[in-house]
Every structure is written in structure tokens, then in C-alpha cells.
Amino acid sequence: MPAPRTTGVLLGVTLALAAGLCVSAVPFATARAESIVVHDARGRDVAIGNRSRIVSIGGAITEILYALGLEERIVGVDTTSLYPPKALGEKPNVGYMRQLSAEGVLGLNPQLILAIEGSGPKETLDVLDAAKIPFVSFPETYTEQGLIDKIKMVAHAMDADARGACLTAAVSGDLAELKKLRDSVKKPARVMFVMSFLNGRAMVAGHKTAANEIIKLAGGVNAVDGFEGYKPVNDEAIVAAKPDVILTMQRGREQLDAQTVFANPSFALTPAAAKKSFVAMDGLYLLGFGPRTAAAARDLALSLYPDLTDKAATWKPATLTVDCHK
């Protein structure tokens, strides 16, 4: 029955919070700052005071916090927080961002929860809201401006606007350099992003996806048109799309490889198969839309257009070396 289950969850949360009061790693007095109000992706005005213990949900959010030098405030991350690699190694894991457990999050006694839009499920968010701990949801907008805004919003929520300005300046500079590289492309490659195969059918990226936008940032065009999001497509649609390059993401043992993709009869008939043009990149790096996005788009552009290598040789993405920790 729903009511007893909810009561049990809330009781468990209460006990976890009571136990967690004794484990704060940062003195409350030194961590509290003047309250800041953030208007978040859920349309709420969230007042933030204490930032001493943060649970970070979403790979891009965690990456931004580390880039701002705020990792000591993080007490827990989700499974998509793969960069920097030490994040999951040194921080407790609260699970996958879309399958969060209220007990797992609140058991860490957070003073603030920062989460990328789409985190959940709703039942967990309801319990987190009931716990009265500030929860900020960050918009997931796959554009250059959306990336800049996300960094600024994370920095502002952490009362670290100066550090945020440092990081956004580096990202903006990288995006400007990327545009120069992209402007050198004479004939855009038709790129098909393949997420996976489901029952023999390819799951590919349409419009309004991170894959679509990173392809554009790299100077390519999405070979898939006519729909939004990630959807399975039939063999005829793959052949008709005529992709010059197949793009996918690396994700451990389940990742696709060129042999598997081009062995599929529909992909075997594409220009990509004729040229064996296949690119696989780290998933968070490629699709995370965090500080390293311009660098990822540069790497993809060089895979699509090897003749740009000389032009890119003098560009070292600032976000890979900039120090915004002060």
C-alpha cells in the first residue's frame, strides 16, 4: 500500500539525517554564506545558505564543481560523474541519476543537492523536497549559450561567481577557436550517431539531442532528419540517410565497434561503410556538455576532417589547463 511505504521511506530518511549530523566534514560556521536565490529548471526559486555538503547529480555538474575547485564540498556523486576519474573513486556513489534512492542521497546528510534536469524518479524528488534540503535542478540545454549558462548557474549557486567567470571565459575562448576551425570546413560530413542496437534495429540521434549539437559544433550535419530525440530506425531509413561517418560513444564492454556496425546489412550499404569511417569517443566527453565540450568537438572535427590538423595544431583548449580555483 502506498501510504505505509511513504511513511517508511520518510522514517528511514529521518533516521539517516539524524545519524548524519555527526559526520559533517566542514565546520558549519565556515561553510555558511549569505543566502542566494536561484531560479531552477523546475521553475522554483531555491534559497541556498549552507554549501558545506553537496550531493552532485549529473556528470556535467560534477565536472564543473571540480573545475571550480569545489570538490571538497562534494559528499556524493551519481554514476554519470565520470570526470575527473577520481570523482567516483573518492566520493560515495548515490546511483544512476534517473534511478536515485532518497535514502541513499539523504543518508549522506547533504546541505545542498545540485542535479541536472531529468534526474529522478519523481517519487524520490518528492521525498527530497519533503526533507527541506535545497534542491537545484539545472537546465540541460545543448547549445553553446546553454553550456555557458549552466556553468554560471552552478558557480552562482555555490557563491563562487568569480571562479565561474574564470571558467566561462576559458570555455568562451575555446568555443571561439572552435568556430574558426569549423569555418574552415568546405563540405560538411553527414554524421549518424548510433546509440545502440535494439532487437537488431539501430537507435540513432535526431534533433534536440546532445549528439545532434556536438555534430554541428564539429562542423558536421546530422544525417538523420525528421524526428527529435533518440529513436530506432529501420533499414530503409539508414540507407536513405547516406551517412559519411558513423559516430558512437565508448561505454565499457557494451560499446559498439566498426565491425559490428558495418556487418549490419543496412549500414553495409552506406558511404560510411565504403570508407570504413567510424568514430567512437568517451560518452561524457562527447555528450556531457560540460567545460570540455569545445575540446571534444575539436577532436571530433579532426576525426571528420583530418586536413584540419595543421590549423588546429596551435590551439590548446584553455579549459584543459586553466586554474579557476581562486
Side-chain angles (χ1 to χ4, degrees):
M1 296 177 63
R5 176 175 175 79
T6 302
T7 301
V9 169
L10 289 173
L11 178 58
V13 167
T14 300
L15 292 174
L17 287 173
L21 289 175
C22 300
V23 298
S24 178
V26 180
F28 179 84
T30 63
R32 178 175 290 281
E34 183 179 351
S35 182
I36 287 175
V37 176
V38 176
H39 189 75
D40 80 347
R42 296 166 73 187
R44 306 165 309 154
D45 290 326
V46 183
I48 304 169
N50 191 344
R51 304 169 186 84
S52 62
R53 298 180 61 81
I54 308 159
V55 168
S56 176
I57 301 168
I61 304 301
T62 301
E63 184 172 339
I64 292 169
L65 289 170
Y66 271 83
L68 296 176
L70 299 171
E71 62 271 21
E72 291 185 2
R73 307 278 188 90
I74 301 174
V75 297
V77 297
D78 77 311
T79 56
T80 70
S81 297
L82 299 173
Y83 189 87
K86 64 181 180 180
L88 271 174
E90 65 187 11
K91 306 295 182 181
N93 181 354
V94 299
Y96 178 52
M97 56 172 282
R98 300 187 194 281
Q99 299 174 346
L100 299 171
S101 158
E103 295 95 328
V105 174
L106 293 177
L108 296 173
N109 186 31
Q111 302 300 327
L112 175 63
I113 302 168
L114 305 181
I116 199 68
E117 186 177 16
S119 299
K122 182 181 181 303
E123 293 78 10
T124 294
L125 299 189
D126 289 343
V127 175
L128 297 179
D129 289 339
K132 303 299 182 184
I133 294 173
F135 183 108
V136 181
S137 177
F138 293 84
E140 186 69 292
T141 305
Y142 303 119
T143 64
E144 294 183 28
Q145 189 58 51
L147 170 57
I148 296 295
D149 291 344
K150 181 162 53 182
I151 294 171
K152 288 181 177 179
M153 187 174 172
V154 171
H156 187 59
M158 294 301 299
D159 194 24
D161 294 299
R163 299 188 190 192
C166 169
L167 186 57
T168 55
V171 171
S172 296
D174 285 346
L175 290 171
E177 291 295 328
L178 177 65
K179 184 180 185 303
K180 294 178 184 178
L181 191 65
R182 190 167 60 240
D183 288 345
S184 300
V185 175
K186 295 180 175 59
K187 182 181 178 182
R190 293 176 59 80
V191 183
M192 177 180 286
F193 179 83
V194 181
M195 175 72 75
S196 62
F197 278 94
L198 182 64
N199 297 324
R201 297 179 67 184
M203 179 78 70
V204 304
H207 295 292
K208 294 189 177 181
T209 60
N212 182 77
E213 295 308 313
I214 200 70
I215 290 169
K216 288 167 56 179
L217 283 176
V221 295
N222 192 345
V224 176
D225 203 357
F227 65 82
E228 299 176 357
Y230 297 91
K231 295 183 179 180
V233 293
N234 58 34
D235 293 348
E236 292 78 6
I238 293 170
V239 175
K242 299 179 180 179
D244 298 309
V245 179
I246 303 302
L247 175 64
T248 190
M249 63 180 186
Q250 298 168 341
R251 50 179 180 182
R253 289 175 294 180
E254 296 181 0
Q255 70 187 47
L256 295 174
D257 57 30
Q259 182 177 357
T260 300
V261 172
F262 293 138
N264 182 285
S266 56
F267 282 98
L269 298 175
T270 65
K275 297 181 292 183
K276 301 300 181 193
S277 295
F278 181 90
V279 178
M281 295 176 62
D282 175 80
L284 181 61
Y285 186 51
L286 180 69
L287 305 178
F289 271 74
R292 299 174 298 149
T293 288
R298 180 203 61 171
D299 291 351
L300 177 56
L302 296 182
S303 294
L304 300 179
Y305 316 107
D307 58 310
L308 297 181
T309 301
D310 290 342
K311 290 188 177 183
T314 58
W315 170 30
K316 305 299 182 184
T319 49
L320 301 182
T321 58
V322 68
D323 182 359
C324 295
H325 293 189
K326 300 179 181 178

